[in-house]
Amino acid sequence: MMATRSTTRRLARAMTLTFALLAAGPVLVLALGSTSARGDWRNATHRPVGLAPDAAAHRDAVIQVYAARTYGWRGAFAVHTWLAAKPRGADGYTRYEVIGWYARAGRSPVSVSDYRAPDAEWYGAAPELLRDLRGAEADVVIEKLDAAVRSYPHAHEYTAWPGPNSNTFVAHLAREIPELKLALPPNAIGKDYLPNNAIVARSPSGTGYQVSFGGLFGITAGGEEGFELNVLGLVTGVDIKSPALKLPGVGRIPAAAASTAPIDLP
């Protein structure tokens, strides 16, 4: 009995320490004021930040993937991701993303629209450019994009945590279009929520594999993702190829530059 109680106490201490370490990142993000935790969302800005080439001047095809902090206190934990596409010769961009409140209004949360700039702030949060493809590489992705959107199995579902959400959608596009070669940041909560109740899948970048139980617990290992451990949707890990730590809420340290070079798929 004494041994059992001692083991239970050790397990409880270990779990408490684990959760404290996982929560440290989001707490730090809030303390540093890195998220729009206050204010009225109706007054939040959606200004373009100059990361997307002018469609009128750049006639080649463009594919860009962005991430920006979600609005309010959730931004301490997660980012919202989306994809912007401009076909060759087009005069503007189309944004592909999942927007949660559309589902609350009885609509599909999947949004394919051109009314917001490709690089617009997300409710006051400046976006980070994750992937930037031009010319022939972008052409290949655009050819497959509509089919990938239509094949998304959660077109009428949305759950902020652990998914399916905006990051689940972008991860699905990446898996369906390996030429996109996209590794999502560790604070893209929902990227590990696998469609159709799958437990094993290719990682979004196509350079590895992941095991995930409902997006709550799992492991990812890949050439682009490095090694990631998911506990309750909070991801910690290490990137070997481009050396960096991955911390819950915080993201990568140091942050990654936008990926533009081709990645060799296995």
Side-chain angles (χ1 to χ4, degrees):
M1 182 67 70
M2 292 290 292
T4 301
R5 290 178 179 174
S6 178
T7 300
T8 301
R9 284 196 295 269
R10 284 197 294 270
L11 287 173
R13 286 196 293 267
M15 291 178 63
T16 300
L17 178 61
T18 298
F19 290 127
L21 291 174
L22 289 172
V27 169
L28 178 62
V29 171
L30 283 173
L32 294 177
S34 301
T35 180
S36 53
R38 299 181 180 85
D40 190 332
W41 64 270
R42 291 168 294 190
N43 298 323
T45 56
H46 296 277
R47 300 165 298 194
V49 297
L51 292 175
D54 178 46
H58 189 91
R59 305 310 290 167
D60 279 348
V62 178
I63 286 286
Q64 293 185 315
V65 182
Y66 291 95
R69 293 277 175 183
T70 56
Y71 185 76
W73 63 267
R74 294 178 181 85
F77 293 86
V79 294
H80 168 76
T81 56
W82 67 92
L83 182 148
K86 186 193 80 67
R88 186 182 303 273
D91 294 326
Y93 289 83
T94 300
R95 284 174 58 125
Y96 298 79
E97 60 195 316
V98 156
I99 299 177
W101 57 88
Y102 285 7
R104 292 197 294 271
R107 301 163 54 188
S108 168
V110 177
S111 171
V112 180
S113 71
D114 60 2
Y115 71 86
R116 187 173 291 164
D119 57 347
E121 297 169 326
W122 182 251
Y123 291 90
E128 170 192 1
L129 183 58
L130 303 179
R131 190 78 172 114
D132 190 350
L133 297 176
R134 311 284 177 96
E137 286 187 305
D139 286 330
V140 172
V141 174
I142 289 170
E143 288 176 3
K144 298 183 176 183
L145 190 52
D146 285 344
V149 172
R150 288 194 300 269
S151 69
Y152 181 56
H154 303 292
H156 298 283
E157 301 175 62
Y158 180 86
T159 304
W161 174 86
N165 59 24
S166 62
N167 302 316
T168 310
F169 174 69
V170 174
H172 168 78
L173 297 183
R175 293 190 188 93
E176 292 295 303
I177 312 174
E179 293 86 357
L180 188 55
K181 304 162 189 172
L182 174 66
L184 289 168
N187 50 358
I189 291 178
K191 71 182 180 67
D192 298 325
Y193 186 95
L194 302 182
N196 301 317
N197 298 313
I199 296 176
V200 180
R202 294 293 293 267
S203 64
S205 74
T207 62
Y209 288 88
Q210 65 182 124
V211 176
S212 181
F213 298 91
L216 289 171
F217 299 95
I219 295 174
T220 300
E224 288 303 306
E225 285 87 1
F227 177 82
E228 296 180 350
L229 175 65
N230 172 7
V231 179
L232 296 177
L234 299 176
V235 172
T236 186
V238 60
D239 187 346
I240 303 299
K241 183 178 179 181
S242 301
L245 291 176
K246 299 183 175 188
L247 300 176
V250 175
R252 290 173 51 100
I253 300 177
S259 178
T260 57
I263 300 169
D264 293 329
L265 293 175

